[in-house]
Amino acid sequence: MENLLLTFQSDLGSISSEILSLQQESVDMNLRLKNRQGVRGELSQFVDDLVVTEQLIFTIMETPVSEQQFLEQLQVLDHKIEFLKEQSFREARAAQDVKDVLGKLKIKASGQDQRIFPAQNQISSRSLLANYQIPTK
């Protein structure tokens, strides 16, 4: 009977150490899960801020400037360009992948703006030179 109780006590001790080991493993797994979720959230936001969607490209290239959708996508483009500038200082390689595309879209969008408002651009360029004195010989 004494041997049986000693064996039972030994088995309970090993079960207790296994439970402690499983609890520690559970805490470690929970910590890794939280870390992965945090990284996934930041990474998905980073990707969302850099991705140039087909809708953005199509809207900037094909939609008339006077439509609301163009203005909305123009704001998205502006946000992406500002985000790209921030990431360029951090030397993010992903930022270099979209730099050319965003630059071309910016040129296209500003070219459309100049076609719609040419008189305003001429006036603003004249006002820049209004106080400029041409040196005489």
Side-chain angles (χ1 to χ4, degrees):
M1 184 72 155
E2 190 175 321
N3 282 340
L4 184 62
L5 288 175
L6 288 174
T7 306
F8 182 70
Q9 186 178 14
S10 166
D11 289 343
L12 283 178
S14 65
I15 290 173
S16 175
S17 66
E18 284 181 34
I19 289 173
L20 290 174
S21 166
L22 288 173
Q23 284 176 337
Q24 184 59 42
E25 191 175 327
S26 173
V27 168
D28 292 343
M29 289 174 70
N30 194 19
L31 180 62
R32 286 193 307 254
L33 175 64
K34 286 182 181 179
N35 288 342
R36 285 181 183 167
Q37 287 174 339
V39 167
R40 185 181 69 202
E42 289 180 26
L43 187 59
S44 67
Q45 183 63 42
F46 178 82
V47 169
D48 287 343
D49 286 339
L50 274 184
V51 167
V52 180
T53 63
E54 288 182 32
Q55 179 186 4
L56 176 65
I57 295 170
F58 180 78
T59 304
I60 297 295
M61 300 297 286
E62 303 295 330
T63 306
V65 178
S66 57
E67 290 190 21
Q68 181 65 28
Q69 186 180 13
F70 181 84
L71 296 175
E72 291 170 359
Q73 291 301 317
L74 193 59
Q75 289 175 342
V76 171
L77 177 63
D78 184 54
H79 171 73
K80 289 183 183 296
I81 290 171
E82 289 301 317
F83 186 75
L84 178 70
K85 287 177 186 176
E86 292 172 14
Q87 296 309 312
S88 294
F89 290 117
R90 296 180 185 166
E91 298 179 6
R93 291 183 183 174
Q96 298 304 318
D97 292 343
V98 297
K99 184 178 183 179
D100 292 335
V101 175
L102 289 175
K104 290 175 184 177
L105 283 174
K106 180 181 177 182
I107 291 169
K108 176 69 174 173
S110 44
Q112 286 182 352
D113 181 40
Q114 289 174 2
R115 279 186 294 150
I116 297 301
F117 306 107
Q120 183 180 3
N121 288 333
Q122 289 174 356
I123 292 169
S124 65
S125 65
R126 281 188 218 142
S127 65
L128 291 175
L129 298 174
N131 292 328
Y132 181 73
Q133 295 182 353
I134 299 174
T136 57
K137 291 183 181 181

